[in-house]
Amino acid sequence: MPASLDRIRRNILRLAALMAVLLTALVVTLIYWQIVAADRLLDHPNNRRLAWKEERICRGGLYDRTGIALAKSEFEAREQIRQYPLGEAAALLIGYRSPRYGRTGLEARYQSRLSGLTARRTLLDLRNEILGRQAHGDDVFTTLDAALQRAAWEGLGGRPGAVVALEPATGAIRCLVSS
């Protein structure tokens, strides 16, 4: 009998060790998804859980280096309207934001900042909701020059081509047009 009790104890210890390893793996996985990957998951285009919240937040603006608006939002009749003042001159670069088709260009790249939907803004959002204030996303300022962007677009005159203007000292993009 003592040999079989010893074997049972070893099996129980092995089972306990296996359960400890599995529990540790579960905790590490949960920490990864809740802390490390939280922002990436929040920004993922297929995350439809937050679509209703995004529609209630006034999306931040995209601006050139001098403060000229490249994209801005306004609410009309409780519906958010996204405006692109440069139109076709910056369409490829700025991209678009659509509830149906998603986001492209700078609208996609800076989604979390423009929408204000980051994990770090939770307390600010709660305060705005309690006080009844309109929530706003963050504005993004680029290195682009709106006047140069428009001049390059008009210079192409509808012909196929591309214009890129960089500041050599810093690598800042001043103009990026494709037709």
Side-chain angles (χ1 to χ4, degrees), residues 167-172 174:
E167 188 173 292
T170 63
R174 296 291 183 219

Short mmCIF file of all heavy atoms in Angstrom, two decimals, residues 167-172 174:
data_model
loop_
_atom_site.label_atom_id
_atom_site.label_comp_id
_atom_site.label_asym_id
_atom_site.label_seq_id
_atom_site.Cartn_x
_atom_site.Cartn_y
_atom_site.Cartn_z
N GLU A 167 11.93 68.81 -46.57
CA GLU A 167 12.90 69.74 -46.00
C GLU A 167 14.16 68.92 -45.70
O GLU A 167 14.14 68.08 -44.79
CB GLU A 167 12.33 70.35 -44.72
CG GLU A 167 13.18 71.47 -44.18
CD GLU A 167 12.47 72.14 -43.02
OE1 GLU A 167 11.44 72.78 -43.24
OE2 GLU A 167 12.97 71.98 -41.89
N PRO A 168 15.23 69.12 -46.45
CA PRO A 168 16.40 68.25 -46.32
C PRO A 168 17.03 68.20 -44.93
O PRO A 168 17.48 67.16 -44.48
CB PRO A 168 17.40 68.83 -47.32
CG PRO A 168 16.58 69.64 -48.26
CD PRO A 168 15.40 70.11 -47.49
N ALA A 169 17.01 69.31 -44.23
CA ALA A 169 17.67 69.35 -42.92
C ALA A 169 16.97 68.47 -41.88
O ALA A 169 17.63 67.86 -41.04
CB ALA A 169 17.74 70.79 -42.41
N THR A 170 15.64 68.40 -41.97
CA THR A 170 14.89 67.66 -40.95
C THR A 170 14.17 66.42 -41.50
O THR A 170 13.74 65.57 -40.74
CB THR A 170 13.83 68.56 -40.29
OG1 THR A 170 12.89 68.97 -41.30
CG2 THR A 170 14.47 69.76 -39.64
N GLY A 171 14.00 66.36 -42.82
CA GLY A 171 13.25 65.26 -43.41
C GLY A 171 11.75 65.48 -43.34
O GLY A 171 10.96 64.59 -43.67
N ALA A 172 11.32 66.67 -42.92
CA ALA A 172 9.89 66.97 -42.80
C ALA A 172 9.25 67.02 -44.18
O ALA A 172 9.82 67.58 -45.13
CB ALA A 172 9.70 68.30 -42.11
N ARG A 174 6.79 68.55 -46.63
CA ARG A 174 6.07 69.81 -46.80
C ARG A 174 4.92 69.66 -47.79
O ARG A 174 3.94 70.37 -47.72
CB ARG A 174 7.01 70.92 -47.28
CG ARG A 174 8.09 71.26 -46.29
CD ARG A 174 7.50 71.93 -45.09
NE ARG A 174 8.54 72.31 -44.17
CZ ARG A 174 8.43 72.23 -42.87
NH1 ARG A 174 7.31 71.81 -42.34
NH2 ARG A 174 9.41 72.56 -42.09
#
